[in-house]
PDB file of all heavy atoms in Angstrom:
ATOM      1  N   PHE A 158      -3.218  16.322 -15.857  1.00  0.00           N
ATOM      2  CA  PHE A 158      -3.444  14.870 -16.070  1.00  0.00           C
ATOM      3  C   PHE A 158      -4.840  14.661 -16.410  1.00  0.00           C
ATOM      4  O   PHE A 158      -5.769  14.902 -15.550  1.00  0.00           O
ATOM      5  CB  PHE A 158      -3.018  14.097 -14.725  1.00  0.00           C
ATOM      6  CG  PHE A 158      -3.113  12.663 -14.795  1.00  0.00           C
ATOM      7  CD1 PHE A 158      -2.629  12.027 -15.928  1.00  0.00           C
ATOM      8  CD2 PHE A 158      -3.686  11.927 -13.805  1.00  0.00           C
ATOM      9  CE1 PHE A 158      -2.691  10.644 -16.068  1.00  0.00           C
ATOM     10  CE2 PHE A 158      -3.794  10.509 -13.900  1.00  0.00           C
ATOM     11  CZ  PHE A 158      -3.263   9.933 -15.039  1.00  0.00           C
ATOM     12  N   PRO A 159      -5.070  14.199 -17.654  1.00  0.00           N
ATOM     13  CA  PRO A 159      -6.466  14.150 -18.164  1.00  0.00           C
ATOM     14  C   PRO A 159      -7.296  12.850 -17.723  1.00  0.00           C
ATOM     15  O   PRO A 159      -7.564  11.959 -18.535  1.00  0.00           O
ATOM     16  CB  PRO A 159      -6.280  14.100 -19.660  1.00  0.00           C
ATOM     17  CG  PRO A 159      -4.941  13.419 -19.882  1.00  0.00           C
ATOM     18  CD  PRO A 159      -4.019  13.813 -18.676  1.00  0.00           C
ATOM     19  N   LEU A 160      -7.526  12.782 -16.473  1.00  0.00           N
ATOM     20  CA  LEU A 160      -8.126  11.605 -15.889  1.00  0.00           C
ATOM     21  C   LEU A 160      -9.583  11.917 -15.429  1.00  0.00           C
ATOM     22  O   LEU A 160      -9.866  13.005 -14.863  1.00  0.00           O
ATOM     23  CB  LEU A 160      -7.390  11.033 -14.738  1.00  0.00           C
ATOM     24  CG  LEU A 160      -7.758   9.656 -14.276  1.00  0.00           C
ATOM     25  CD1 LEU A 160      -7.423   8.594 -15.262  1.00  0.00           C
ATOM     26  CD2 LEU A 160      -7.068   9.388 -12.876  1.00  0.00           C
ATOM     27  N   GLU A 161     -10.515  10.978 -15.650  1.00  0.00           N
ATOM     28  CA  GLU A 161     -11.861  11.207 -15.227  1.00  0.00           C
ATOM     29  C   GLU A 161     -12.306   9.825 -14.570  1.00  0.00           C
ATOM     30  O   GLU A 161     -11.857   8.848 -14.901  1.00  0.00           O
ATOM     31  CB  GLU A 161     -12.840  11.485 -16.449  1.00  0.00           C
ATOM     32  CG  GLU A 161     -12.421  12.745 -17.239  1.00  0.00           C
ATOM     33  CD  GLU A 161     -13.232  12.849 -18.530  1.00  0.00           C
ATOM     34  OE1 GLU A 161     -14.021  11.851 -18.839  1.00  0.00           O
ATOM     35  OE2 GLU A 161     -13.131  13.956 -19.164  1.00  0.00           O
ATOM     36  N   ASN A 162     -13.255  10.029 -13.614  1.00  0.00           N
ATOM     37  CA  ASN A 162     -13.917   8.875 -13.126  1.00  0.00           C
ATOM     38  C   ASN A 162     -14.835   8.221 -14.085  1.00  0.00           C
ATOM     39  O   ASN A 162     -15.385   8.907 -14.951  1.00  0.00           O
ATOM     40  CB  ASN A 162     -14.652   9.256 -11.786  1.00  0.00           C
ATOM     41  CG  ASN A 162     -13.723   9.548 -10.661  1.00  0.00           C
ATOM     42  OD1 ASN A 162     -12.685   8.837 -10.453  1.00  0.00           O
ATOM     43  ND2 ASN A 162     -14.017  10.544  -9.800  1.00  0.00           N
ATOM     44  N   LEU A 163     -15.101   6.898 -13.937  1.00  0.00           N
ATOM     45  CA  LEU A 163     -16.047   6.181 -14.787  1.00  0.00           C
ATOM     46  C   LEU A 163     -17.374   6.117 -14.017  1.00  0.00           C
ATOM     47  O   LEU A 163     -17.472   5.669 -12.939  1.00  0.00           O
ATOM     48  CB  LEU A 163     -15.471   4.737 -15.058  1.00  0.00           C
ATOM     49  CG  LEU A 163     -16.528   3.871 -15.781  1.00  0.00           C
ATOM     50  CD1 LEU A 163     -16.803   4.336 -17.163  1.00  0.00           C
ATOM     51  CD2 LEU A 163     -15.979   2.437 -15.798  1.00  0.00           C
ATOM     52  N   TYR A 164     -18.404   6.729 -14.690  1.00  0.00           N
ATOM     53  CA  TYR A 164     -19.735   6.699 -14.126  1.00  0.00           C
ATOM     54  C   TYR A 164     -20.680   5.801 -15.076  1.00  0.00           C
ATOM     55  O   TYR A 164     -20.545   5.961 -16.315  1.00  0.00           O
ATOM     56  CB  TYR A 164     -20.326   8.099 -14.064  1.00  0.00           C
ATOM     57  CG  TYR A 164     -19.636   8.910 -13.057  1.00  0.00           C
ATOM     58  CD1 TYR A 164     -18.618   9.832 -13.481  1.00  0.00           C
ATOM     59  CD2 TYR A 164     -19.719   8.820 -11.667  1.00  0.00           C
ATOM     60  CE1 TYR A 164     -17.907  10.707 -12.628  1.00  0.00           C
ATOM     61  CE2 TYR A 164     -19.003   9.680 -10.771  1.00  0.00           C
ATOM     62  CZ  TYR A 164     -18.130  10.590 -11.305  1.00  0.00           C
ATOM     63  OH  TYR A 164     -17.387  11.312 -10.441  1.00  0.00           O
ATOM     64  N   VAL A 165     -21.545   5.020 -14.459  1.00  0.00           N
ATOM     65  CA  VAL A 165     -22.429   4.257 -15.301  1.00  0.00           C
ATOM     66  C   VAL A 165     -23.957   4.695 -14.898  1.00  0.00           C
ATOM     67  O   VAL A 165     -24.124   5.248 -13.778  1.00  0.00           O
ATOM     68  CB  VAL A 165     -22.325   2.735 -15.008  1.00  0.00           C
ATOM     69  CG1 VAL A 165     -21.075   2.256 -15.685  1.00  0.00           C
ATOM     70  CG2 VAL A 165     -22.246   2.428 -13.499  1.00  0.00           C
ATOM     71  N   ALA A 166     -24.909   4.359 -15.784  1.00  0.00           N
ATOM     72  CA  ALA A 166     -26.238   4.811 -15.583  1.00  0.00           C
ATOM     73  C   ALA A 166     -26.963   4.120 -14.453  1.00  0.00           C
ATOM     74  O   ALA A 166     -27.695   4.731 -13.686  1.00  0.00           O
ATOM     75  CB  ALA A 166     -27.016   4.586 -16.831  1.00  0.00           C
ATOM     76  N   GLN A 167     -26.619   2.836 -14.172  1.00  0.00           N
ATOM     77  CA  GLN A 167     -27.211   2.047 -13.162  1.00  0.00           C
ATOM     78  C   GLN A 167     -26.214   1.664 -12.113  1.00  0.00           C
ATOM     79  O   GLN A 167     -25.140   1.184 -12.538  1.00  0.00           O
ATOM     80  CB  GLN A 167     -27.967   0.818 -13.695  1.00  0.00           C
ATOM     81  CG  GLN A 167     -28.729   0.088 -12.619  1.00  0.00           C
ATOM     82  CD  GLN A 167     -29.466  -1.017 -13.227  1.00  0.00           C
ATOM     83  OE1 GLN A 167     -29.284  -1.535 -14.298  1.00  0.00           O
ATOM     84  NE2 GLN A 167     -30.475  -1.546 -12.454  1.00  0.00           N
ATOM     85  N   SER A 168     -26.418   1.907 -10.837  1.00  0.00           N
ATOM     86  CA  SER A 168     -25.387   1.530  -9.909  1.00  0.00           C
ATOM     87  C   SER A 168     -25.137   0.038  -9.870  1.00  0.00           C
ATOM     88  O   SER A 168     -26.106  -0.747 -10.129  1.00  0.00           O
ATOM     89  CB  SER A 168     -25.798   2.017  -8.492  1.00  0.00           C
ATOM     90  OG  SER A 168     -26.795   1.138  -8.025  1.00  0.00           O
ATOM     91  N   PRO A 169     -23.903  -0.410  -9.679  1.00  0.00           N
ATOM     92  CA  PRO A 169     -23.635  -1.871  -9.631  1.00  0.00           C
ATOM     93  C   PRO A 169     -24.396  -2.549  -8.634  1.00  0.00           C
ATOM     94  O   PRO A 169     -24.952  -3.687  -8.921  1.00  0.00           O
ATOM     95  CB  PRO A 169     -22.143  -1.909  -9.293  1.00  0.00           C
ATOM     96  CG  PRO A 169     -21.520  -0.592  -9.846  1.00  0.00           C
ATOM     97  CD  PRO A 169     -22.663   0.418  -9.568  1.00  0.00           C
ATOM     98  N   ALA A 170     -24.665  -1.977  -7.480  1.00  0.00           N
ATOM     99  CA  ALA A 170     -25.549  -2.662  -6.383  1.00  0.00           C
ATOM    100  C   ALA A 170     -26.875  -2.864  -6.900  1.00  0.00           C
ATOM    101  O   ALA A 170     -27.462  -3.996  -6.695  1.00  0.00           O
ATOM    102  CB  ALA A 170     -25.480  -1.820  -5.115  1.00  0.00           C
ATOM    103  N   SER A 171     -27.489  -1.833  -7.481  1.00  0.00           N
ATOM    104  CA  SER A 171     -28.886  -1.999  -8.064  1.00  0.00           C
ATOM    105  C   SER A 171     -28.936  -3.092  -9.094  1.00  0.00           C
ATOM    106  O   SER A 171     -29.866  -3.851  -9.181  1.00  0.00           O
ATOM    107  CB  SER A 171     -29.368  -0.639  -8.537  1.00  0.00           C
ATOM    108  OG  SER A 171     -30.668  -0.781  -9.089  1.00  0.00           O
ATOM    109  N   ALA A 172     -27.980  -2.975 -10.010  1.00  0.00           N
ATOM    110  CA  ALA A 172     -27.993  -3.893 -11.168  1.00  0.00           C
ATOM    111  C   ALA A 172     -27.764  -5.385 -10.714  1.00  0.00           C
ATOM    112  O   ALA A 172     -28.494  -6.266 -11.108  1.00  0.00           O
ATOM    113  CB  ALA A 172     -26.843  -3.527 -12.178  1.00  0.00           C
ATOM    114  N   MET A 173     -26.833  -5.590  -9.825  1.00  0.00           N
ATOM    115  CA  MET A 173     -26.543  -6.947  -9.297  1.00  0.00           C
ATOM    116  C   MET A 173     -27.737  -7.471  -8.604  1.00  0.00           C
ATOM    117  O   MET A 173     -28.101  -8.684  -8.660  1.00  0.00           O
ATOM    118  CB  MET A 173     -25.320  -7.001  -8.389  1.00  0.00           C
ATOM    119  CG  MET A 173     -23.987  -6.699  -9.178  1.00  0.00           C
ATOM    120  SD  MET A 173     -22.491  -6.914  -8.200  1.00  0.00           S
ATOM    121  CE  MET A 173     -22.699  -5.563  -6.974  1.00  0.00           C
ATOM    122  N   THR A 174     -28.332  -6.597  -7.800  1.00  0.00           N
ATOM    123  CA  THR A 174     -29.611  -7.035  -7.027  1.00  0.00           C
ATOM    124  C   THR A 174     -30.672  -7.486  -8.037  1.00  0.00           C
ATOM    125  O   THR A 174     -31.375  -8.494  -7.808  1.00  0.00           O
ATOM    126  CB  THR A 174     -30.140  -5.876  -6.214  1.00  0.00           C
ATOM    127  OG1 THR A 174     -29.085  -5.422  -5.259  1.00  0.00           O
ATOM    128  CG2 THR A 174     -31.305  -6.314  -5.346  1.00  0.00           C
ATOM    129  N   ASN A 175     -30.899  -6.672  -9.086  1.00  0.00           N
ATOM    130  CA  ASN A 175     -31.912  -7.025 -10.042  1.00  0.00           C
ATOM    131  C   ASN A 175     -31.559  -8.351 -10.784  1.00  0.00           C
ATOM    132  O   ASN A 175     -32.422  -9.213 -11.061  1.00  0.00           O
ATOM    133  CB  ASN A 175     -32.032  -5.981 -11.142  1.00  0.00           C
ATOM    134  CG  ASN A 175     -32.671  -4.644 -10.570  1.00  0.00           C
ATOM    135  OD1 ASN A 175     -33.418  -4.733  -9.568  1.00  0.00           O
ATOM    136  ND2 ASN A 175     -32.401  -3.569 -11.186  1.00  0.00           N
ATOM    137  N   TRP A 176     -30.258  -8.610 -11.054  1.00  0.00           N
ATOM    138  CA  TRP A 176     -29.883  -9.813 -11.707  1.00  0.00           C
ATOM    139  C   TRP A 176     -30.218 -11.048 -10.819  1.00  0.00           C
ATOM    140  O   TRP A 176     -30.687 -12.023 -11.356  1.00  0.00           O
ATOM    141  CB  TRP A 176     -28.404  -9.827 -12.041  1.00  0.00           C
ATOM    142  CG  TRP A 176     -27.980  -8.788 -13.043  1.00  0.00           C
ATOM    143  CD1 TRP A 176     -28.799  -8.081 -13.890  1.00  0.00           C
ATOM    144  CD2 TRP A 176     -26.730  -8.188 -13.191  1.00  0.00           C
ATOM    145  NE1 TRP A 176     -28.061  -7.169 -14.577  1.00  0.00           N
ATOM    146  CE2 TRP A 176     -26.792  -7.110 -14.143  1.00  0.00           C
ATOM    147  CE3 TRP A 176     -25.474  -8.320 -12.537  1.00  0.00           C
ATOM    148  CZ2 TRP A 176     -25.669  -6.313 -14.456  1.00  0.00           C
ATOM    149  CZ3 TRP A 176     -24.329  -7.579 -12.929  1.00  0.00           C
ATOM    150  CH2 TRP A 176     -24.456  -6.647 -13.912  1.00  0.00           C
ATOM    151  N   LEU A 177     -30.000 -10.863  -9.548  1.00  0.00           N
ATOM    152  CA  LEU A 177     -30.331 -11.967  -8.549  1.00  0.00           C
ATOM    153  C   LEU A 177     -31.790 -12.163  -8.398  1.00  0.00           C
ATOM    154  O   LEU A 177     -32.238 -13.207  -8.438  1.00  0.00           O
ATOM    155  CB  LEU A 177     -29.672 -11.747  -7.238  1.00  0.00           C
ATOM    156  CG  LEU A 177     -28.117 -11.826  -7.057  1.00  0.00           C
ATOM    157  CD1 LEU A 177     -27.696 -11.503  -5.709  1.00  0.00           C
ATOM    158  CD2 LEU A 177     -27.630 -13.220  -7.471  1.00  0.00           C
ATOM    159  N   ALA A 178     -32.543 -11.068  -8.358  1.00  0.00           N
ATOM    160  CA  ALA A 178     -33.961 -11.106  -8.155  1.00  0.00           C
ATOM    161  C   ALA A 178     -34.640 -11.779  -9.406  1.00  0.00           C
ATOM    162  O   ALA A 178     -35.547 -12.607  -9.342  1.00  0.00           O
ATOM    163  CB  ALA A 178     -34.604  -9.745  -7.993  1.00  0.00           C
ATOM    164  N   ASP A 179     -34.122 -11.470 -10.689  1.00  0.00           N
ATOM    165  CA  ASP A 179     -34.707 -12.033 -11.863  1.00  0.00           C
ATOM    166  C   ASP A 179     -34.009 -13.431 -12.142  1.00  0.00           C
ATOM    167  O   ASP A 179     -34.543 -14.017 -13.169  1.00  0.00           O
ATOM    168  CB  ASP A 179     -34.414 -11.113 -13.053  1.00  0.00           C
ATOM    169  CG  ASP A 179     -35.101  -9.792 -12.933  1.00  0.00           C
ATOM    170  OD1 ASP A 179     -36.110  -9.748 -12.080  1.00  0.00           O
ATOM    171  OD2 ASP A 179     -34.640  -8.769 -13.511  1.00  0.00           O
ATOM    172  N   ASP A 180     -33.044 -13.796 -11.413  1.00  0.00           N
ATOM    173  CA  ASP A 180     -32.316 -15.103 -11.723  1.00  0.00           C
ATOM    174  C   ASP A 180     -31.829 -15.143 -13.140  1.00  0.00           C
ATOM    175  O   ASP A 180     -31.878 -16.131 -13.781  1.00  0.00           O
ATOM    176  CB  ASP A 180     -33.247 -16.256 -11.394  1.00  0.00           C
ATOM    177  CG  ASP A 180     -32.414 -17.560 -11.287  1.00  0.00           C
ATOM    178  OD1 ASP A 180     -31.200 -17.451 -11.061  1.00  0.00           O
ATOM    179  OD2 ASP A 180     -33.100 -18.645 -11.506  1.00  0.00           O
ATOM    180  N   GLU A 181     -31.298 -13.996 -13.518  1.00  0.00           N
ATOM    181  CA  GLU A 181     -30.805 -13.824 -14.970  1.00  0.00           C
ATOM    182  C   GLU A 181     -29.657 -12.899 -15.021  1.00  0.00           C
ATOM    183  O   GLU A 181     -29.824 -11.666 -14.677  1.00  0.00           O
ATOM    184  CB  GLU A 181     -31.926 -13.549 -15.883  1.00  0.00           C
ATOM    185  CG  GLU A 181     -31.553 -13.547 -17.344  1.00  0.00           C
ATOM    186  CD  GLU A 181     -32.764 -13.224 -18.291  1.00  0.00           C
ATOM    187  OE1 GLU A 181     -33.864 -13.025 -17.717  1.00  0.00           O
ATOM    188  OE2 GLU A 181     -32.487 -13.259 -19.538  1.00  0.00           O
ATOM    189  N   ALA A 182     -28.561 -13.314 -15.571  1.00  0.00           N
ATOM    190  CA  ALA A 182     -27.375 -12.431 -15.708  1.00  0.00           C
ATOM    191  C   ALA A 182     -27.583 -11.757 -17.096  1.00  0.00           C
ATOM    192  O   ALA A 182     -28.297 -12.153 -17.991  1.00  0.00           O
ATOM    193  CB  ALA A 182     -26.101 -13.209 -15.702  1.00  0.00           C
ATOM    194  N   PRO A 183     -26.854 -10.563 -17.229  1.00  0.00           N
ATOM    195  CA  PRO A 183     -26.872  -9.844 -18.487  1.00  0.00           C
ATOM    196  C   PRO A 183     -26.247 -10.660 -19.641  1.00  0.00           C
ATOM    197  O   PRO A 183     -25.505 -11.653 -19.392  1.00  0.00           O
ATOM    198  CB  PRO A 183     -26.147  -8.611 -18.216  1.00  0.00           C
ATOM    199  CG  PRO A 183     -25.261  -8.912 -17.073  1.00  0.00           C
ATOM    200  CD  PRO A 183     -26.028  -9.850 -16.203  1.00  0.00           C
ATOM    201  N   ALA A 184     -26.499 -10.242 -20.802  1.00  0.00           N
ATOM    202  CA  ALA A 184     -26.058 -11.056 -21.987  1.00  0.00           C
ATOM    203  C   ALA A 184     -24.545 -11.211 -22.021  1.00  0.00           C
ATOM    204  O   ALA A 184     -23.790 -10.253 -21.671  1.00  0.00           O
ATOM    205  CB  ALA A 184     -26.418 -10.329 -23.272  1.00  0.00           C
TER     206      ALA A 184
END
Side-chain angles (χ1 to χ4, degrees):
F158 185 40
L160 192 69
E161 301 173 351
N162 287 320
L163 173 65
Y164 297 102
V165 288
Q167 187 176 16
S168 74
S171 177
M173 293 186 293
T174 301
N175 290 338
W176 299 338
L177 289 178
D179 296 339
D180 194 23
E181 185 175 359

